[in-house]
Amino acid sequence: MGGVPAGRIPAAYAASGRRAIRVTLVAAAGFYLFRYGLDSPVAATYALFATVALGGLSKIPGTGRQRAAVVLRLLPVCLLLVVIGTYLSVRTWSAVVGMLVVGFALAFAAVGGPRPAGASPGLQLLYILPSFPPYDPGSLGERLIGTTTGLALFIAAEALILPGRAPPSYRERAARSAETAVRCATLLAAPPYALTEADVQATRDAGWALRSLTVPEAERPAGPGVRDRALTHAGLAIRTLLSRLAQLPAAPGGTPGPDVTAVLHAVAGLSAATATCLQAGPSPATPYEELVGARAHLSAASASPAPSGAAACDLAAGTTSAPDFPPAVLRLHAAVLEVADAALAMASAADLAVRGRQASVEVPTDRFWYATSWAPRLWWHRVRGHAERRSVFFQNAVRIALALTAARLVAGVDTLPHGFWATLATLTLTRTTMDETWSTIRRALAGTLAGALLTAGVLALVGTDTEVYAAVLPVWMLFAFTVGPVRGVGWAQGLFTVLVALVFAQLAPPTWRLAEVRLLDVVVGSAIGGVFGLLAWPRGAHDELRHAVGELLRRAAEIVVATSASASGGGGACAPSGASGHRSLQHAVILAESAYAQFQSEPTPFGGRRRGVALPAVDWQATLMAGHHTLWGSERLLQPPLDGLGPAAAESVSGLGDRVAGRMLLVSAALDPGGDTPTAPVPLIEPVAGFAAEPSGAPRLYYATVSWLGSLMTDLGRIARGGPGPEHDGKPPAH
């Protein structure tokens, strides 16, 4: 392993050092301006802690300019929190109720994406600070002036001082991946009508670049708005398109027909136009219409007409044959039409992501249900979707709100000295799993003890000489905010203990007992955090991910059975519809994706064991993709008109659908067993018989349905073969 070259600062220290420079400059400037220049200790305190809250405690992702924009938008919220905290702090009961409501609301705001989630701890601090003595609503003006000044200086510092270079945006990544699709579609449309191994690897790399794990938090399209939702949709469509192109079967005889090459040429053209659109170019409306036409021509050429009257009787009796194409050609047609469907979805989503409601490309309302909705409704939809106990966002919000409320109650009832520190310890040390919480508390207490001993020595030695504290404060602040985030919570708590002592020693005559009070408050706050970490969903996202994925697969199995029945029944009045379960599956996918996002940030609980049994290795991404592929394929196959399959083909499709659904239920039971279900490892899903069947006279719908069911079997086969998961192996897996 190579070390850091001599003379070069490690990347982690360089990043935290740049942030520490900005926070130190602003916090020190605001504090000294009001404390010594304007003789306003209250404003000085709020100027410093507002900077520490949004610059040190918050983890807002992005470059300096991106963070500055976020803080600027949050400025009114920060001032409102100071006002509410000030007025509710007059009575302990009102402060406690306010802590419960505000604490939950700020934590639950994480449903809005990485930026609200990152800002939440700092906003919590801005409410906590005025909730403690002195209870003086008359000083609200000074508090607001200090907060405003500190945040205004911090916004300017973030934007101007070492702002950092922005990484490629998600739109840029998607555009590059679309360009890969252009190359692949072009190669498949011309001799030798095949991709090389290098081309297939390029599709894997391009798809990997769009996975959320590889995208910086600030660039992930995770918000509830139209553009973010559409950009997420575009990424999924591009990944699906690349996968379908890489898996396209070879044409019989080595040469596809002109209808197939026309569709592939149109896919290449639309992919190129989509890449240009994502780079703020023109709308891909014209290439979109060209692909719609080519797709319709191929679909009409390969599909048999829906039988009626005497023809239906002949088909039922087996005396009428459907299309003239051999089965291998129909399989190719079905696969090419899936490629076209993914390309059309990609273009619609990309145009919607760039232009919002002014998109020129046709937007199917069944797939892009959010396209015509206004922002408040989309926010409400996101909040309502997570306002249940199975949502990790809801669990996290309840956990931290109850912990902060308990800390505020203890501080108010027992008149805990400097109770602000106890509540702050609860805020910073409570984690999403029991193991992580107790591990954090142990290291934090050790660090706080060391910091308290150092603080007691400094205070005893220096006494009331505020000039010394004023001179040491910026140096120590720079050191603390540089080293603490890199070395971990123990160092951070120890360094912060000395830091707050240096601050409060300039606000009131200090004694060495200040260190004792700080240690007591951290012990109380960490104990409260530990209790609620134990009582409120102690396993974090680990159990919820298993449950959410199990529910996803159960819902997907229902849709697989219903869709297969509808396809085999030809869309008749008596045929069940798979569309009725789509909303339930969409909701299950949303909950599973949010649980997976948190799961990636949590350590494995209980040493990687559950009830004494080692946790199985699961590729969770494969389960999520199975949910998306179930939705997309079902929507496509249920589009009218549905052709009659004939008895043999209908029986084959229905049987395959039942078997695929059965495999989904097997995996679901292994991941999320019921109370009386025996614990079992996730089964290895092997291919089932029947996918190669070629019933006589089967139309394209049969092969399209079989192709969809086969792709779902591929997804299921990846789940138990994930090893430690793609989030650990550091390289793109095969599609």
Side-chain angles (χ1 to χ4, degrees):
M1 295 178 60
V4 178
R8 293 194 60 180
I9 301 175
Y13 284 103
S16 65
R18 287 191 294 269
R19 191 181 187 105
I21 289 172
R22 293 190 293 269
V23 173
T24 300
L25 287 175
V26 174
F31 183 78
Y32 292 148
L33 170 65
F34 288 108
R35 178 64 184 91
Y36 298 106
L38 301 177
D39 193 24
S40 176
V42 173
T45 302
Y46 278 78
L48 185 143
F49 277 102
T51 304
V52 170
L54 273 299
L57 187 58
S58 291
K59 303 300 180 186
I60 303 173
T63 64
R65 291 187 176 89
Q66 290 172 328
R67 291 191 297 270
V70 173
V71 177
L72 181 61
R73 290 194 292 270
L74 289 175
L75 182 57
V77 178
C78 297
L79 299 179
L80 179 62
L81 291 172
V82 173
V83 172
I84 295 174
T86 297
Y87 282 109
L88 293 183
S89 67
V90 177
R91 298 285 185 272
T92 296
W93 70 265
S94 61
V96 169
V97 172
M99 188 69 71
L100 178 64
V101 175
V102 173
F104 177 85
L106 292 177
F108 195 60
V111 299
R115 290 187 175 93
S120 177
L123 297 177
Q124 299 273 19
L125 177 56
L126 286 177
Y127 175 80
I128 293 171
L129 182 60
S131 293
F132 288 91
Y135 303 121
D136 183 15
S139 66
L140 179 60
E142 291 181 90
R143 295 180 178 188
L144 293 178
I145 290 173
T147 302
T148 304
T149 302
L151 292 180
L153 292 174
F154 179 66
I155 291 169
E158 286 278 35
L160 301 176
I161 301 175
L162 304 174
R165 283 184 286 182
S169 67
Y170 195 84
R171 276 173 53 177
E172 293 171 339
R173 289 168 175 258
R176 287 202 295 266
S177 296
E179 290 169 353
T180 302
V182 174
R183 171 176 169 77
C184 292
T186 302
L187 290 172
L188 290 168
Y193 307 107
L195 300 179
T196 65
E197 184 57 37
D199 296 323
V200 173
Q201 184 59 44
T203 66
R204 296 171 181 167
D205 294 340
W208 178 261
L210 294 179
R211 297 178 69 166
S212 60
L213 180 69
T214 67
V215 181
E217 275 192 301
E219 305 302 331
R220 295 174 190 170
V226 169
R227 294 175 188 263
D228 271 8
R229 289 180 187 269
L231 194 53
T232 299
H233 212 150
L236 286 172
I238 293 172
R239 290 179 60 193
T240 302
L241 174 61
L242 292 167
S243 176
R244 296 291 181 261
L245 288 170
Q247 297 173 359
L248 196 68
T255 304
D259 292 338
V260 169
T261 56
V263 171
L264 292 174
H265 279 302
V267 167
L270 183 56
S271 298
T274 300
T276 303
C277 173
L278 289 168
Q279 296 165 346
S283 170
T286 301
Y288 183 93
E289 295 301 327
E290 293 174 356
L291 179 56
V292 168
R295 179 181 183 274
H297 192 274
L298 176 61
S299 180
S302 62
S304 63
S308 61
C313 296
D314 292 341
L315 181 61
T319 60
T320 297
S321 64
D324 296 331
F325 293 108
V329 173
L330 289 176
R331 288 185 188 277
L332 175 62
H333 287 184
V336 171
L337 289 172
E338 286 196 4
V339 168
D341 182 75
L344 292 172
M346 169 191 68
S348 296
D351 198 34
L352 190 60
V354 174
R355 291 172 176 79
R357 296 178 184 85
Q358 284 71 46
S360 303
V361 170
E362 177 186 357
V363 178
T365 54
D366 54 346
R367 181 173 291 184
F368 302 94
W369 59 269
Y370 51 84
T372 58
S373 300
W374 294 99
R377 183 183 175 190
L378 293 176
W379 266 98
W380 171 246
H381 186 274
R382 175 69 63 87
V383 169
R384 185 182 61 182
H386 286 284
E388 60 171 76
R389 67 184 185 89
R390 286 297 182 183
S391 168
V392 291
F393 291 118
F394 180 82
Q395 294 175 4
N396 294 342
V398 169
R399 183 189 300 108
I400 194 63
L402 291 177
L404 292 176
T405 300
R408 182 62 185 85
L409 180 63
V410 169
V413 172
D414 290 349
T415 61
L416 191 68
H418 289 283
F420 161 74
W421 290 348
T423 310
L424 180 58
T426 301
L427 174 65
T428 56
L429 300 181
T430 303
R431 296 294 188 267
T432 57
T433 67
M434 182 186 71
D435 277 10
E436 191 181 9
T437 296
W438 284 110
S439 174
T440 299
I441 288 174
R442 288 194 298 269
R443 287 179 281 128
L445 290 178
T448 302
L449 177 60
L453 293 175
L454 179 58
T455 297
V458 170
L459 294 176
L461 181 64
V462 178
T464 59
D465 191 350
T466 56
E467 289 81 2
V468 175
Y469 301 125
V472 173
L473 176 61
V475 178
W476 190 266
M477 190 180 301
L478 180 63
F479 177 69
F481 287 120
T482 299
V483 175
V486 178
R487 298 303 298 268
V489 67
W491 278 77
Q493 286 293 323
L495 295 172
F496 192 72
T497 297
V498 179
L499 175 62
V500 294
L502 294 174
V503 171
F504 282 94
Q506 299 177 64
L507 299 173
T511 68
W512 67 270
R513 300 189 68 88
L514 186 65
E516 177 187 5
V517 171
R518 163 70 180 170
L519 180 60
L520 172 64
D521 287 340
V522 171
V523 170
V524 172
S526 61
I528 293 172
V531 168
F532 283 94
L534 175 64
L535 298 179
W537 299 283
R539 291 181 53 84
H542 287 75
D543 275 354
E544 288 311 314
L545 179 59
R546 300 172 70 85
H547 175 82
V549 166
E551 181 67 14
L552 182 154
L553 291 174
R554 287 189 286 271
R555 297 295 184 185
E558 294 173 0
I559 290 181
V560 166
V561 172
T563 303
S564 301
S566 292
S568 62
C574 61
S577 171
S580 60
H582 287 180
R583 183 165 296 181
S584 297
L585 179 55
Q586 286 172 343
H587 183 61
V589 169
I590 289 171
L591 292 181
E593 287 179 332
S594 63
Y596 178 66
Q598 179 171 309
F599 169 83
Q600 294 179 91
S601 67
E602 294 179 348
T604 303
F606 310 113
R609 305 183 71 82
R610 181 175 185 259
R611 298 174 186 157
V613 179
L615 292 171
V618 176
D619 184 351
W620 300 106
Q621 274 278 349
T623 64
L624 301 180
M625 291 307 298
H628 286 292
H629 288 164
T630 301
L631 279 171
W632 288 20
S634 177
E635 290 170 355
R636 182 178 64 254
L637 293 171
L638 293 176
Q639 290 177 354
L642 297 182
D643 305 327
L645 296 185
E651 182 180 358
S652 177
V653 162
S654 180
L656 285 174
D658 290 344
R659 276 175 276 177
V660 172
R663 299 307 191 278
M664 287 181 168
L665 294 177
L666 278 176
V667 177
S668 171
L671 292 175
D672 182 38
D676 56 352
T677 303
T679 304
V682 179
L684 290 173
I685 301 299
E686 302 296 342
V688 299
F691 282 99
E694 298 176 350
S696 176
R700 178 192 53 82
L701 177 62
Y702 168 79
Y703 293 100
T705 307
V706 170
S707 177
W708 170 61
L709 294 173
S711 70
L712 295 180
M713 286 296 297
T714 301
D715 292 333
L716 293 174
R718 294 189 187 121
I719 293 175
R721 294 184 175 93
E727 64 267 28
H728 300 297
D729 60 20
K731 58 182 181 298
H735 285 286

